[in-house]
Amino acid sequence: MSLSPVSSEPHSILRFSHLSVRYGRTLALDDITLDIPCGSSTAILGPNGAGKSTLLRAILGWQPSATGEIRLGDAHPQHLLPRLAYLPQRHMIDWDFPITVRAVVEQGRYPSLRLFRQLGPDDRTRVDRALQELGLTDLAGRQIRMLSGGQQQRVFLARALAQGADIFLLDEPFAGLDLFATEELTHILRAWEAQGRTVLAVVHELELARRGFTRGVLLDTALVAAGPIAEVLSPANIDRAYRRGRCAHDNPLHLASTTEFPR
Amino acid sequence: MHDFLITPFSFGFMQRGLLSAVLLSLSGGLLGCILVMRRLALMGDALSHSLLPGIGLAWLLFGPSTLALFFGALVAGLLTALGSAFLSRLTRVKEDAAFGSLFIIFFGAGVALVSKLPTGLSLSHVLFGNILVVGPSDLAVSAVVSSTTVMVFVVFYRSILLETFDPIFYRAVGGHSGLVHFGFLALTVLNLVAALQTMGVVLALGLFLLPAVSAYLWCDHFARMLVLSVVFGVVSSVAGILLSYHAGLASGAAIVLCLGVVFFASALFSPTYGLVGRCVRGLRERQAVRKHPG
């Protein structure tokens, strides 16, 4: 019996091949071919309207693809929804909703419950473990408004864990977090990557992406670059994605065109 | 005491009125919680107003048949909901403005129709409710609608909670968001129509909304909010029917008044979210700061 050498190349968990998505006549994603390695943390970057959120929505099957397809392992993502956890943007949640931290995390178990079934001991253990991993055990009985921004974000991470997902799709998770909460979330996502979980997050700040993620995907409707974060965020790539090759001294908005400078 | 509480219900029409109001506060309390949490309160109110022309037309065409009134109202409600959805998609008018315009047109048309009808349909009865007209067939409709609603809530509680709290997550885990939303709208129209006899078009939504907002001021658990809302609704219905009997008020108005008392009491005295509690906490904090400055 021969042992096959362990490949140093991790296999891809998500494969996009020639994916295009349209909103009516506008092209939101243009011919994206891309592999996301298993157990990596990837920042999705790009200017406004580059199709970052659309990429996440396409994975969940909310955006029918005009051409191309997405594969999760060997299947279509729609067949493996329990493996995918989607974190909504914070402003989508009504924080005054009469619900406690624990009840939110329990929602992660709902999809796997049949009609008429109550949460079983196994479900409870998973909820307990998720609460514990994110340090929420003591806050479990609190109403969700009574938490800090970072804690609120952790509640939804815990729900994703309780769901039993291993691929996490985060839509702007850092929006509205203060410095401490940002550090904390970066730390959690780093730890998840070390545990072999796959994280895809839409990120706006380039510096944050450099520090918190190992890989990057730079979009500008079409794919500009993908790979290790340092290579993706090279000056040339950033220039291509954000300025579309224009020189920084160009003045697309003609902001100061009427100003006369003294000679 | 006996005369005050029990004697009124020796009359058949009082029994039917009471039973119908209690049945509808069971389902109305549940639906109201969703209306409140999804911020659809005003839309529900507009929807109930828009049912009027449907009722008027059904009366004109088929006479006082419960089933006809029911379907007339249903069609009017659906026309308003779908019509405003179309208007907002096809023109630059936004959804709320479209809904507001359509419902007021429908309501106007309804008032015109009902006041010009040759039959004995009294406008004030349709608008504000009259338990005298609750017949056995109306009671049957209330019973069916109410038990259907309660059953849907028991069976699909988790889907309803997810769709109300976080519809995006619900979709992401494979839930049928559109189906739940449509089912909810359909149930709302059904309950509004069933509540017409006792509550009237203008006041029907009070039976849904007021117990739910009151319960919202007390609870930090969604399930408890649902139960408390139903309790508030049932208690106020009984009290309201008695009030309407003794004071000779329209039953809808009497029930809404009782619910109003519950609501104001909640807004003032709920320990965590009430006004008084808030003031007391504020004062205490100020005193604590004064005692231990810095």
Side-chain angles (χ1 to χ4, degrees):
Chain A
M1 199 171 79
S2 68
L3 289 171
S4 59
V6 179
S7 159
S8 62
E9 192 68 19
H11 79 269
S12 306
I13 186 86
L14 275 169
R15 287 201 204 93
F16 301 80
S17 55
H18 302 289
L19 177 77
S20 297
V21 172
R22 282 173 185 285
Y23 289 116
R25 266 184 231 158
T26 359
L27 203 57
L29 284 174
D30 184 11
D31 195 32
I32 307 284
T33 299
L34 175 68
D35 282 1
I36 304 289
C38 194
S40 66
S41 74
T42 306
I44 304 174
L45 299 144
N48 289 335
K52 302 184 293 290
S53 295
T54 310
L55 193 72
L56 294 190
R57 298 163 67 89
I59 297 173
L60 290 161
W62 297 351
Q63 291 300 329
S65 52
T67 60
E69 63 168 5
I70 306 172
R71 296 216 151 225
L72 201 165
D74 291 323
H76 283 289
Q78 278 75 9
H79 301 304
L80 293 168
L81 282 179
R83 289 188 61 186
L84 294 166
Y86 177 81
L87 255 80
Q89 297 183 20
R90 272 165 45 80
H91 67 86
M92 301 298 289
I93 299 296
D94 174 8
W95 297 102
D96 284 323
F97 201 90
I99 199 163
T100 59
V101 169
R102 197 187 165 86
V104 175
V105 179
E106 279 174 356
Q107 289 174 357
R109 301 306 306 150
Y110 286 1
S112 54
L113 287 178
R114 298 245 192 94
L115 276 185
F116 301 112
R117 275 288 175 82
Q118 296 294 315
L119 291 173
D122 175 51
D123 298 308
R124 274 178 233 290
T125 325
R126 279 167 181 261
V127 172
D128 288 336
R129 237 186 276 151
L131 284 169
Q132 202 176 9
E133 181 172 340
L134 288 160
L136 294 166
T137 312
D138 294 336
L139 305 173
R142 288 235 193 138
Q143 197 272 335
I144 51 174
R145 165 72 77 193
M146 311 289 162
L147 302 171
S148 70
Q151 290 166 341
Q152 288 176 341
Q153 193 65 278
R154 263 148 58 197
V155 172
F156 285 85
L157 293 175
R159 181 176 71 180
L161 280 188
Q163 199 185 327
D166 62 344
I167 302 163
F168 299 86
L169 311 174
L170 287 70
D171 202 352
E172 302 192 25
F174 294 99
L177 291 190
D178 63 16
L179 196 64
F180 178 74
T182 305
E183 280 310 310
E184 191 182 67
L185 181 58
T186 325
H187 187 76
I188 292 169
L189 295 183
R190 280 276 187 197
W192 281 14
E193 185 189 10
Q195 291 165 21
R197 292 167 177 154
T198 309
V199 175
L200 264 93
V202 173
V203 182
H204 269 289
E205 271 184 76
L206 303 187
E207 200 43 51
L208 195 61
R210 279 203 188 92
R211 278 191 292 120
F213 295 83
T214 43
R215 298 180 63 86
V217 170
L218 192 54
L219 291 174
D220 182 20
T221 309
L223 185 67
V224 176
I229 190 81
E231 289 170 29
V232 168
L233 290 182
S234 69
N237 283 337
I238 292 175
D239 190 64
R240 262 214 300 154
Y242 286 87
R243 289 198 271 274
R244 304 195 166 93
R246 271 193 302 271
C247 172
H249 302 293
D250 283 356
N251 192 351
L253 297 179
H254 308 288
L255 288 178
S257 57
T258 57
T259 313
E260 296 260 330
F261 290 101
R263 265 173 254 193
Chain B
M1 200 62 186
H2 184 273
D3 276 353
F4 187 80
L5 291 178
I6 311 294
T7 317
F9 298 115
S10 55
F11 300 106
F13 72 89
M14 281 296 284
Q15 291 168 3
R16 283 196 298 275
L18 179 77
L19 207 53
S20 161
V22 166
L23 278 170
L24 289 165
S25 48
L26 284 177
S27 48
L30 298 175
L31 284 172
C33 291
I34 315 287
L35 281 175
V36 169
M37 294 324 300
R38 299 198 59 175
R39 305 186 180 191
L40 294 173
L42 285 176
M43 198 212 76
D45 194 28
L47 193 64
S48 75
H49 279 71
S50 72
L51 303 183
L52 193 56
I55 298 165
L57 269 185
W59 190 287
L60 193 63
L61 297 176
F62 305 103
S65 130
T66 313
L67 214 61
L69 290 186
F70 193 77
F71 279 107
L74 197 62
V75 169
L78 285 177
L79 271 183
T80 318
L82 294 179
S84 57
F86 270 117
L87 264 181
S88 60
R89 298 268 154 78
L90 300 179
T91 68
R92 71 188 293 189
V93 179
K94 302 288 179 289
E95 175 104 36
D96 58 330
F99 211 105
S101 316
L102 269 191
F103 104 78
I104 210 82
I105 295 169
F106 270 60
F107 188 61
V111 171
L113 263 173
V114 173
S115 56
K116 279 291 163 205
L117 278 189
T119 46
L121 189 62
S122 138
L123 185 62
S124 85
H125 285 175
V126 186
L127 292 185
F128 309 117
N130 178 9
I131 48 165
L132 289 172
V133 296
V134 177
S137 60
D138 299 315
L139 196 56
V141 169
S142 303
V144 170
V145 167
S146 167
S147 53
T148 313
T149 312
V150 173
M151 248 164 32
V152 167
F153 266 79
V154 169
V155 175
F156 298 104
Y157 171 72
R158 286 193 291 257
S159 302
I160 292 169
L161 170 60
L162 283 189
E163 168 67 15
T164 313
F165 176 63
D166 189 351
I168 299 178
F169 174 73
Y170 185 53
R171 258 183 86 188
V173 295
H176 302 285
S177 207
L179 197 68
V180 174
H181 187 64
F182 180 79
F184 166 71
L185 280 184
L187 276 183
T188 307
V189 172
L190 282 179
N191 275 276
L192 277 174
V193 173
L196 283 182
Q197 306 278 0
T198 21
M199 298 297 294
V201 173
V202 180
L203 298 172
L205 201 77
L207 191 60
F208 298 27
L209 212 54
L210 287 170
V213 215
S214 310
Y216 179 50
L217 285 162
W218 292 92
C219 298
D220 273 341
H221 293 261
F222 191 58
R224 286 183 207 164
M225 176 179 166
L226 289 176
V227 172
L228 190 61
S229 166
V230 169
V231 171
F232 281 157
V234 170
V235 170
S236 308
S237 296
V238 177
I241 296 275
L242 279 173
L243 180 67
S244 102
Y245 177 83
H246 291 293
L249 277 173
S251 51
I255 292 176
V256 165
L257 279 178
C258 291
L259 285 165
V261 170
V262 174
F263 170 65
F264 280 119
S266 306
L268 285 176
F269 302 118
S270 156
T272 1
Y273 302 110
L275 273 176
V276 173
R278 202 171 177 168
C279 292
V280 169
R281 270 196 305 280
L283 277 180
R284 269 194 206 140
E285 260 167 42
R286 231 178 275 168
Q287 275 171 356
V289 171
R290 223 174 277 153
K291 267 182 201 159
H292 313 280

